[in-house]
Amino acid sequence: MNEQSPQALRTAAASAGTAGSYMPGFGNDFETEALPGALPQGRNSPQRVNYGLYGEQLSGTAFTAPGHRNERTWCYRIRPSVRHSGRYARLDLPYWKSAPNVIEDVTSLGQYRWDPLPHSDRDLTWLTGMRTMTTAGDVNTQVGMASHIYLATRSMEDAYFYSADSELLVVPQEGRLRFATELGVIDLEPKEIAVIPRGLVYRVEVVEGPARGFVCENYGQKFELPDRGPIGANCMANRRDFKTPVAAFEDREVPSTLTVKWCGQFHETRIGQSPLDVVAWHGNYAPVKYDMRTYCPIGSILFDHPDPSIFTVLTAPSSSPGTANIDFVLFRERWTVMEDTFRPPWFHKNVMSEMMGNIHGQYDAKPKGFVPGGLSLHNMMLPHGPDRDAFERASNADLKPEKLGDTMSFMFETRFPQHLTAFAAKEAPLQDDYIDCWKSLEKKFDGTPGTK
Ligand SMILES: [Fe+2]
């Protein structure tokens, strides 16, 4: 006879994936509390909240957004956010620009490439070290984006920030950062990304510096996972590999500043405590990190190759179906196996504007010149493609299965033309000879048939 009670189910010690300080999933309805019993159950707004906390809703979408797009989080905090706010004074951050930012004497029409921005010997924080390279669209109408490079050497101390204009997609390339946010702590290193939602207060600490990386500032609708269509329910970026932090708070009564980015301008207010005082929260509007080494690439297994949209990690839709405000696209290590195929990206001209950055290693269409930390811009309807060396090599290669190893690059692709900032055109290390990489592509046609 089986002595065991039918009720003696074995229970997991902790939910899988919740070990450490993160909860798995993308856009889940999470709940988390840093003190036991701090999170109200069964309702959002009880008459009195445990521990004397204040209940407050953070709305990331309009109240009336359709269900599958509706995002909000309920916070239970030591003080309501109005106590972390006061009179605002304008603050000048001259290198952080917002669209529209069209400079009279800067020509954005062109194929551009930059060497990595050198680290500065000055103290630079997340705010003072942000260098805008391009802007697109209009921050005031919440369309478009900006691309930035950050150089950070120093942590923000008793200083906090939020952007009312945008969510930030952060792509580290060197060094390690810690985002201490209202909803928890995200540690971030190269080959990972984080998405910090619009309106979320945080400070950035430099854990290992100097730190450098890329930021896509999304003025428009939030990033989401692309539909996979016939690919099915798996591969590309999987929901479980996105990680949202558990609740974490600090109760620090020290003079502090809060900087707000609002319609392209920066404003500062002085407060008497840390605003990172959310003890418990529940909801689906939250910061998230993702390890790009978990991205499962899909590709051709016989001939030709698909459009690079096959490598989309996240997409921020626009009002026009299938035409993204921003696609975040990842070129990572992968096998190429196609027969009788020109394997690198083909020559092309695109209505979308492509800002590429190199995180690590070598990119197959540009073996030289596009180095880790570097950027390239192929703007709306400007032709580009492999350079001569890459073309010749790919045209004559013995087409065995080949692993493209040691490579990780990305693209911020937007439906809007990208305008160079004065910094990108005049101060950043622009490669003046980039256009020459195609110069030696010779005419092979002589009117006679046969491959040349
Ligand atoms: Fe392209």
Side-chain angles (χ1 to χ4, degrees), residues 59-246:
S59 293
T61 55
F63 297 150
T64 46
H68 66 284
R69 288 245 163 89
N70 203 310
E71 296 194 17
R72 60 86 184 91
T73 284
W74 275 92
C75 302
Y76 302 93
R77 57 194 313 159
I78 297 171
R79 290 180 173 89
S81 290
V82 288
R83 289 287 291 112
H84 304 313
S85 183
R87 291 185 196 285
Y88 287 94
R90 279 285 296 278
L91 181 73
D92 198 23
L93 291 172
Y95 286 103
W96 191 334
K97 301 292 187 191
S98 295
N101 181 61
V102 181
I103 311 292
E104 187 79 3
D105 62 342
V106 166
T107 305
S108 294
L109 179 74
Q111 297 92 340
Y112 291 109
R113 195 164 67 186
W114 293 266
D115 285 327
L117 285 192
H119 290 291
S120 171
D121 49 13
R122 289 169 44 212
D123 278 351
L124 294 174
T125 66
W126 180 249
L127 299 183
T128 58
M130 197 67 76
R131 302 283 178 265
T132 306
M133 299 296 287
T134 61
T135 66
D138 186 344
V139 74
N140 288 290
T141 52
Q142 300 187 343
V143 294
M145 52 82 81
S147 66
H148 313 278
I149 294 175
Y150 66 82
L151 301 170
T153 58
R154 195 163 64 80
S155 298
M156 295 167 70
E157 286 170 21
D158 302 323
Y160 303 86
F161 172 70
Y162 75 89
S163 173
D165 286 345
S166 47
E167 67 176 346
L168 299 189
L169 169 66
V170 185
V171 186
Q173 191 263 322
E174 279 183 359
R176 291 194 297 132
L177 299 176
R178 174 167 296 153
F179 290 80
T181 82
E182 287 176 292
L183 300 184
V185 177
I186 286 183
D187 283 320
L188 204 62
E189 62 183 30
K191 301 187 179 175
E192 297 179 323
I193 57 169
V195 180
I196 310 294
R198 187 193 298 262
L200 188 75
V201 176
Y202 61 97
R203 70 165 179 262
V204 180
E205 298 167 12
V206 178
V207 177
E208 187 187 302
R212 179 174 60 208
F214 310 95
V215 170
C216 183
E217 184 177 359
N218 174 17
Y219 305 144
Q221 203 169 304
K222 292 177 80 274
F223 279 108
E224 54 190 50
L225 291 177
D227 287 336
R228 293 189 186 89
I231 292 169
N234 302 291
C235 296
M236 303 168 69
N238 289 301
R239 286 181 182 270
R240 69 175 291 219
D241 296 319
F242 288 81
K243 310 285 182 186
T244 286
V246 296

Side-chain angles (χ1 to χ4, degrees), residues 222-399:
K222 292 177 80 274
F223 279 108
E224 54 190 50
L225 291 177
D227 287 336
R228 293 189 186 89
I231 292 169
N234 302 291
C235 296
M236 303 168 69
N238 289 301
R239 286 181 182 270
R240 69 175 291 219
D241 296 319
F242 288 81
K243 310 285 182 186
T244 286
V246 296
F249 72 98
E250 56 191 15
D251 183 10
R252 294 179 63 231
E253 308 280 324
V254 287
S256 305
T257 59
L258 174 68
T259 301
V260 182
K261 181 175 191 281
W262 200 89
C263 292
Q265 296 177 340
F266 294 87
H267 305 79
E268 188 182 82
T269 186
R270 293 178 183 282
I271 55 178
Q273 65 287 321
S274 168
L276 307 184
D277 66 353
V278 177
V279 178
W281 61 268
H282 79 85
N284 59 353
Y285 190 67
V288 67
K289 71 180 263 186
Y290 174 70
D291 184 341
M292 291 189 285
R293 287 162 290 207
T294 65
Y295 184 86
C296 177
I298 297 288
S300 171
I301 50 172
L302 191 56
F303 64 88
D304 282 357
H305 56 78
D307 292 313
S309 47
I310 200 76
F311 299 136
T312 302
V313 181
L314 291 167
T315 184
S318 76
S319 53
S320 189
T323 309
N325 185 30
I326 308 160
D327 280 329
F328 175 65
V329 181
L330 174 67
F331 305 97
R332 65 159 302 179
E333 62 178 348
R334 60 197 182 277
W335 283 89
T336 55
V337 299
M338 303 84 86
E339 299 170 349
D340 186 19
T341 293
F342 183 77
R343 288 178 175 178
W346 357 255
F347 295 103
H348 75 137
K349 215 161 88 170
N350 190 354
V351 66
M352 305 283 279
S353 302
E354 307 174 4
M355 174 64 93
M356 280 192 66
N358 190 340
I359 300 165
H360 175 79
Q362 192 179 14
Y363 178 64
D364 59 327
K366 299 276 166 31
K368 289 183 211 139
F370 181 50
V371 300
L375 276 177
S376 70
L377 174 65
H378 302 119
N379 228 330
M380 179 179 69
M381 281 300 175
L382 279 171
H384 54 284
D387 59 27
R388 184 179 182 277
D389 287 353
F391 178 82
E392 290 300 333
R393 204 185 52 208
S395 303
N396 296 296
D398 181 16
L399 293 182

